Amino acid sequence: MDMMLTDSKIHNETRQGEAFAPFEQDSNIYTKRFYIESYGCQMNFSDSEIVASILQNEGFGATRNFEEADLVLLNTCSIREKAEQTVRKRLQAFRQVKQQRPGMLIGVLGCMAERLKSKLLEEEKLVDMVVGPDAYRTLPGLIEEAETGQKAVNVLLSREETYADISPVRLGSNGVTAFISIMRGCNNMCSFCVVPFTRGRERSRDAHSIIQEARDLYEQGFREVTLLGQNVDSYYWHDENTNKPVTFAMLLEMVALVHPNLRIRFSTSHPKDITDDVLFTMAKYENICNYIHLPVQSGNTRILQIMNRTYTREWYMSKVDRIREIIPDCGISSDIIAGFCSETEEEHQDTLSIMDYSRYDYSYMFFYSERPGTLAARRYPDDVPLDVKKRRLQEIVDKQYHLSLVSNQQDVGKTFKVLIEGESKKSEDEWMGRNSQNKVIVFPKDNTNLQPGSYAWVKVHQCNKATLIGTRIDQPE
Ligand code: 5AD
Ligand code: SF4
């Protein structure tokens, strides 16, 4: 519980700070070593895989141990103040190692780069390189500059960069699930959000390169891809060969057709942009997972308006109705912010009641954290006291725990097709996988030839709020 309150389990940060070493076995090929740690959203993890690819071409192999690295990189997040503080602490730890190994270079990548470049480089002398999310192609040149003792900086944002031609090196991979970045940036300007400033304008990646990446992954044995973007429903790419546009619904269909055994997920959807076309495409293809991450942020229309979310409470509710109409067994999850500027108790109650209405299977819950430069920081005082924010967040967290438990209890007795991702954390005698709705299912290994990447049919007989527990059965008729 406390974990939520201190805001540490933040959006998709279950792998926060993880360091990766994909190719340690090839240790002879590389003359230098890099170490990378990623924070924040899935997009940052995906970007680290692009960075790894660029570095490998420069002769850098990965290491899991930063103390032996020639280049130490932190891919940073700015979304809340807490995320920034964590990164600072890490940088101080790296700095200490550098005192023993002066040749080591330390670089900051990602969303903190633009905002804090002069502070990190000059005032605090914490880092040697600062590289923004659209400047990773210039890393080789920046490394050279930094090696000669210059401060190397590139935080330019681009209107075109999508890294479409770079094949990501899959870091820390389970060999079954992978991310594919389909667009970058965001044009939405939600008033609380720093992303449009740190990641720049929205742009969509060449559809053919996306399909090719999905094909390659399937051939390498991957069985699930998650199409990533800040706002995937506004994906729009003009195909010059056919002179026709490709929308997100069309892209989904194209990826679904790569192979029926390749599962497709996507994230994140904006409630104002997700179309019936997308929902019908999901319903049409069994391998497009029945799961939508549909952040509500608040259940109150006035708050939504000052958040600049451009939908009302009723609009959001009718979107949920539409999803349940077209995809009856669809899993829905959300992002929720407690204590946004000027939020009253009544308005907070609206958030709790929309959670009941939407019956979220899962939510990422935060209290509002003012970010410098955002519309809200300029326009609205951050006037809900911290203890009130925390209490409201706790009520939201308690509500979600209850909803998750009820949702899981309703699955007891049902049978699901599960994609096995690996062994369960608790026991090597059990498999762990997910159903289409993105719920984690564990079940005992039996004497079959299952392995990570296999599909299994599992009947659920028990649950807690986080996991379904079942047994394997033969494929139902
Ligand atoms: N304060 C708290 N939460 C925020 N988020 C984005 N900006 C802020 C902020 N300033 C949350 C939103 C978003 C998720 C990725 O992070 O809920 O959907
Ligand atoms: Fe931020 Fe809103 Fe864009 Fe999401 S849609 S990245 S919350 S501005």
Side-chain angles (χ1 to χ4, degrees):
M1 302 292 263
D2 226 3
M3 202 163 72
M4 291 293 185
L5 269 184
T6 52
D7 214 355
S8 63
K9 183 157 183 359
I10 45 186
H11 190 55
N12 299 322
E13 275 183 54
T14 42
R15 302 191 304 164
Q16 179 175 25
E18 196 169 319
F20 310 102
F23 287 148
E24 272 171 341
Q25 67 274 27
D26 300 339
S27 53
N28 310 334
I29 309 174
Y30 300 109
T31 50
K32 296 181 205 161
R33 296 270 141 203
F34 76 93
Y35 169 92
I36 189 162
E37 235 175 65
S38 306
Y39 291 81
C41 63
Q42 290 162 325
M43 189 61 93
N44 255 9
F45 284 81
S46 171
D47 280 2
S48 291
E49 300 187 330
I50 288 167
V51 168
S53 172
I54 293 169
L55 291 176
Q56 265 186 17
N57 283 339
E58 292 297 304
F60 280 89
T63 171
R64 272 177 212 279
N65 177 6
F66 74 78
E67 299 189 348
E68 66 170 36
D70 303 287
L71 176 62
V72 174
L73 298 172
L74 270 192
N75 198 350
T76 62
C77 171
S78 279
I79 200 124
R80 282 166 294 274
E81 202 179 352
K82 175 90 195 314
E84 284 195 1
Q85 286 163 0
T86 314
V87 163
R88 264 174 200 285
K89 281 201 199 115
R90 262 330 250 163
L91 285 175
Q92 275 144 10
F94 294 153
R95 194 81 214 159
Q96 281 190 343
V97 175
K98 190 177 157 109
Q99 278 161 3
Q100 315 318 307
R101 301 188 60 217
M104 176 174 130
L105 294 181
I106 302 174
V108 160
L109 314 178
C111 289
M112 271 172 75
E114 161 62 28
R115 229 172 65 67
L116 295 179
K117 60 175 187 283
S118 51
K119 249 188 150 174
L120 294 172
L121 276 170
E122 282 143 34
E123 289 169 35
E124 300 172 24
K125 300 206 177 352
L126 274 176
V127 302
D128 308 292
M129 287 170 32
V130 176
V131 193
D134 287 345
Y136 297 145
R137 280 181 206 272
T138 64
L139 264 166
L142 293 170
I143 293 168
E144 265 179 39
E145 270 179 45
E147 278 169 345
T148 63
Q150 301 170 61
K151 297 289 174 200
V153 190
N154 187 349
V155 294
L156 286 179
L157 291 173
S158 155
R159 279 174 182 263
E160 287 94 34
E161 181 63 273
T162 59
Y163 300 111
D165 56 313
I166 295 183
S167 283
V169 170
R170 303 293 161 185
L171 295 165
S173 167
N174 59 10
V176 179
T177 61
F179 297 130
I180 302 183
S181 162
I182 64 163
M183 58 198 298
R184 300 180 71 80
C186 184
N187 284 357
N188 277 331
M189 301 303 264
C190 299
S191 64
F192 51 79
C193 186
V194 79
V195 167
F197 305 97
T198 60
R199 288 192 160 266
R201 307 287 291 174
E202 187 176 287
R203 66 223 97 117
S204 297
R205 174 177 169 191
D206 177 334
H208 302 304
S209 76
I210 296 170
I211 307 304
Q212 194 52 49
E213 195 172 325
R215 277 201 199 111
D216 291 346
L217 285 165
Y218 186 80
E219 272 159 29
Q220 290 163 33
F222 286 83
R223 290 296 174 264
E224 182 182 295
V225 295
T226 301
L227 308 181
L228 283 186
Q230 279 339 311
N231 183 12
V232 288
D233 302 283
S234 54
Y235 178 87
Y236 188 90
W237 183 75
H238 191 86
D239 189 342
E240 278 166 11
N241 294 338
T242 58
N243 204 22
K244 287 200 180 116
V246 179
T247 63
F248 182 59
M250 291 153 96
L251 181 75
L252 261 185
E253 177 157 48
M254 287 155 76
V255 184
L257 289 170
V258 165
H259 199 285
N261 280 342
L262 182 68
R263 273 187 172 178
I264 295 104
R265 301 187 186 278
F266 55 88
S267 186
T268 296
S269 299
H270 194 300
K272 79 173 162 56
D273 292 323
I274 187 165
T275 59
D276 276 6
D277 267 359
V278 166
L279 301 180
F280 285 126
T281 308
M282 290 174 74
K284 183 169 164 195
Y285 292 95
E286 189 270 338
N287 58 331
I288 304 180
C289 291
N290 290 345
Y291 168 67
I292 300 178
H293 183 56
L294 195 74
V296 68
Q297 313 296 1
S298 162
N300 175 268
T301 297
R302 187 187 73 88
I303 294 292
L304 287 168
Q305 195 184 357
I306 60 173
M307 283 179 163
N308 202 22
R309 291 290 289 178
T310 70
Y311 53 84
T312 60
R313 173 182 174 86
E314 289 70 30
W315 164 281
Y316 185 92
M317 288 168 149
S318 62
K319 214 27 123 181
V320 169
D321 294 346
R322 194 71 181 140
I323 292 169
R324 300 218 185 277
E325 194 182 318
I326 298 173
I327 315 164
D329 62 344
C330 195
I332 304 183
S333 61
S334 193
D335 291 348
I336 302 171
I337 298 179
F340 187 64
C341 312
S342 75
E343 184 189 70
T344 65
E345 282 308 318
E346 266 187 340
E347 289 166 337
H348 164 62
Q349 290 299 324
D350 282 347
T351 296
L352 294 172
S353 67
I354 210 166
M355 292 174 71
D356 279 327
Y357 187 87
S358 310
R359 288 181 274 126
Y360 297 126
D361 299 296
Y362 194 80
S363 291
Y364 298 91
M365 299 158 280
F366 321 98
F367 58 75
Y368 173 60
S369 154
E370 185 178 87
R371 306 313 292 134
T374 55
L375 210 66
R378 281 180 276 141
R379 253 192 222 163
Y380 312 116
D382 179 12
D383 54 2
V384 177
L386 188 61
D387 58 333
V388 176
K389 282 182 186 170
K390 286 190 173 177
R391 195 252 306 142
R392 288 183 191 166
L393 176 61
Q394 190 61 59
E395 287 172 16
I396 289 169
V397 168
D398 290 347
K399 166 76 71 191
Q400 185 55 54
Y401 278 8
H402 174 70
L403 289 174
S404 298
L405 182 62
V406 170
S407 164
N408 280 358
Q409 283 166 344
Q410 282 169 351
D411 286 340
V412 173
K414 292 186 190 162
T415 298
F416 295 101
K417 186 178 171 186
V418 173
L419 173 60
I420 299 176
E421 293 182 13
E423 277 174 0
S424 107
K425 270 189 220 134
K426 291 206 182 116
S427 159
E428 58 184 37
D429 300 326
E430 286 176 344
W431 290 121
M432 177 289 242
R434 282 170 205 268
N435 66 6
S436 177
Q437 290 76 9
N438 208 31
K439 287 190 181 173
V440 171
I441 302 192
V442 298
F443 60 101
K445 292 179 177 175
D446 50 13
N447 294 328
T448 53
N449 294 327
L450 296 176
Q451 54 183 357
S454 306
Y455 288 96
W457 290 90
V458 178
K459 183 163 184 182
V460 175
H461 52 71
Q462 209 187 323
C463 75
N464 56 42
K465 69 178 184 324
T467 313
L468 302 177
I469 300 149
T471 37
R472 199 193 64 79
I473 59 162
D474 290 333
Q475 179 165 356
E477 294 293 298

